[in-house]
Amino acid sequence: MQYEAHDAGRVILKEGHFSTGFYFLLSGQVEVFKIRNGIKYRLNVLNAGSAFGERTMYRLKDYRKACVATTVPCEFLRVHKQEFIRIAQIDDQETRKHRQSQLMSVPHFSEGGLDFIDKILPFCEFVTYDSQQSILLQDSHVFQLYTILSGTCRCVKIVPFLRHKGVLSAYNMDTAVRDGDEVVQEMLTLTEIGPGDHFPSVPSPTIVPFMREAYLVQLLAEDPADGKARASVSVIANSTVEIVGITRYQYAQYATNNMIMRLIDESNIFKVPMNELQAAYLERLKWDSFKKKVASEVISRAKTAHH
């Protein structure tokens, strides 16, 4: 391990460079970003107590996927890759067997067998969330594949509507907004998911028929400036939830073609067009209004008959 101190504005990691270690941020703040066509896209901000660069530690040859730079004077503890690998070889066998068992209970992991699970396990991150805690936010940049190991979640989406004289209608960017109109956002629940289910959606291959190497290149080149790299829904825990996360690229690197295609097919549940969501919600409002009207008429007739 090595102590380092840097002033503000120092690039610590540069996208495209070989990874040789990872960092603990002892003090200060850093930003994670990518540069595309001369435009800087900030992905995250990390504060003291955070670590970065660790996801590349289990691969001897790997490139940095983003830049990291200091925003204020910072202190770091740098861990060299070879030192990390040596320490990581001292494995907790009981924990490893437990994690293997958890992944084997999930169809899109167990299909690859224990050999597949042993290959991806070093890249997996296991996290527990409390009830009502947000796990994923709509429109956030995401390159991970998350799978629920225990508990349940709801997938919600913010959908815009136009309110005119108290009546809601579908809204999109081409909708004319008149004086007195109001654009409102409704949070709609798309579905509930539980153990074995995964989120968010997995991108479809840009080259058809499916070609494995081309798809890996596609995943590796995912760009935060591209809307396809953004989450289409928010995911919120209904109960205490344990999930496992792995980058889509690392999963696809070791999965079979059938495993990858099945994940892509199962992602359609998150890809409902906005106009269909709006139409379904408005139809439900009409149905709820109709039921209230009928109930009111029934109660009114019962009171009349009683008198």
Side-chain angles (χ1 to χ4, degrees):
M1 295 186 183
Q2 178 181 337
Y3 170 83
E4 295 184 10
H6 298 288
D7 293 331
R10 175 69 180 271
V11 176
I12 306 300
L13 301 181
K14 193 169 183 180
E15 183 180 7
H17 284 199
F18 277 120
S19 60
T20 58
F22 77 99
Y23 294 79
F24 290 105
L25 180 56
L26 302 178
S27 66
Q29 182 186 79
V30 298
E31 60 175 350
V32 184
F33 62 92
K34 289 193 176 191
I35 303 291
R36 292 293 182 271
N37 298 322
I39 300 175
K40 178 179 175 181
Y41 295 92
R42 176 180 279 188
L43 306 180
N44 202 359
V45 173
L46 304 176
N47 295 300
S50 301
F52 58 90
E54 71 276 16
R55 294 188 182 278
T56 63
M57 288 300 97
Y58 284 95
R59 301 183 66 186
L60 293 179
K61 290 186 177 181
D62 198 10
Y63 295 97
R64 298 296 187 189
K65 305 301 187 297
C67 300
V68 178
T70 59
T71 60
V72 297
C74 295
E75 295 177 293
F76 302 94
L77 188 62
R78 183 173 185 269
V79 181
H80 294 275
K81 176 174 284 191
Q82 293 300 330
E83 183 180 6
F84 174 83
I85 292 175
R86 178 179 58 79
I87 295 172
Q89 289 174 345
I90 305 173
D91 198 11
D92 182 341
Q93 292 299 322
E94 185 175 341
T95 299
R96 183 178 182 83
K97 288 180 180 179
H98 174 62
R99 295 308 190 193
Q100 287 174 332
S101 176
Q102 285 183 300
L103 295 184
M104 282 296 288
S105 69
V106 177
H108 61 264
F109 290 128
S110 62
E111 184 178 341
L114 194 57
D115 181 61
F116 167 73
I117 287 176
D118 283 340
K119 288 178 180 177
I120 67 168
L121 192 54
F123 304 108
C124 291
E125 182 180 8
F126 296 81
V127 185
T128 299
Y129 292 87
D130 294 328
S131 176
Q132 306 309 315
Q133 190 172 357
S134 296
I135 300 173
L136 181 68
L137 294 178
Q138 181 178 334
D139 290 331
S140 60
H141 298 110
V142 59
F143 306 99
Q144 300 283 109
L145 171 69
Y146 297 107
T147 302
I148 300 176
L149 298 175
S150 64
T152 63
C153 303
R154 61 188 182 277
C155 300
V156 301
K157 188 177 183 69
I158 296 175
V159 179
F161 292 89
L162 185 69
R163 177 179 286 131
H164 176 68
K165 295 183 178 179
V167 178
L168 286 184
S169 61
Y171 173 81
N172 59 54
M173 296 302 294
D174 297 325
T175 303
V177 180
R178 296 165 292 183
D179 289 343
D181 289 352
E182 179 186 7
V183 177
V184 296
Q185 308 284 349
E186 295 287 346
M187 182 175 289
L188 309 186
T189 299
L190 273 63
T191 187
E192 292 202 356
I193 52 179
D197 292 327
H198 63 85
F199 63 92
S201 58
V202 178
S204 299
T206 55
I207 296 178
V208 179
F210 179 81
M211 297 175 61
R212 181 187 186 82
E213 291 304 318
Y215 189 64
L216 288 174
V217 171
Q218 175 187 333
L219 293 179
L220 197 59
E222 285 186 307
D223 192 331
D226 187 345
K228 295 179 182 178
R230 295 178 181 269
S232 60
V233 299
S234 295
V235 179
I236 302 171
N238 289 332
S239 59
T240 300
V241 173
E242 185 178 14
I243 67 169
V244 57
I246 182 172
T247 67
R248 297 187 290 226
Y249 174 79
Q250 288 164 336
Y251 177 88
Q253 192 174 25
Y254 299 107
T256 65
N257 289 357
N258 286 338
M259 292 166 68
I260 297 171
M261 293 306 299
R262 186 170 293 111
L263 274 187
I264 293 171
D265 291 340
E266 291 172 354
S267 294
N268 290 331
I269 189 172
F270 303 110
K271 299 177 181 178
V272 182
M274 185 70 75
N275 63 323
E276 292 185 17
L277 290 175
Q278 291 170 326
Y281 181 72
L282 293 173
E283 191 64 30
R284 194 186 78 183
L285 288 182
K286 291 180 182 178
W287 175 240
D288 289 345
S289 178
F290 175 74
K291 286 191 295 183
K292 288 180 181 179
K293 180 180 179 182
V294 171
S296 178
E297 290 178 354
V298 169
I299 293 173
S300 178
R301 290 173 185 171
K303 288 182 179 179
T304 301
H306 178 73
H307 291 299

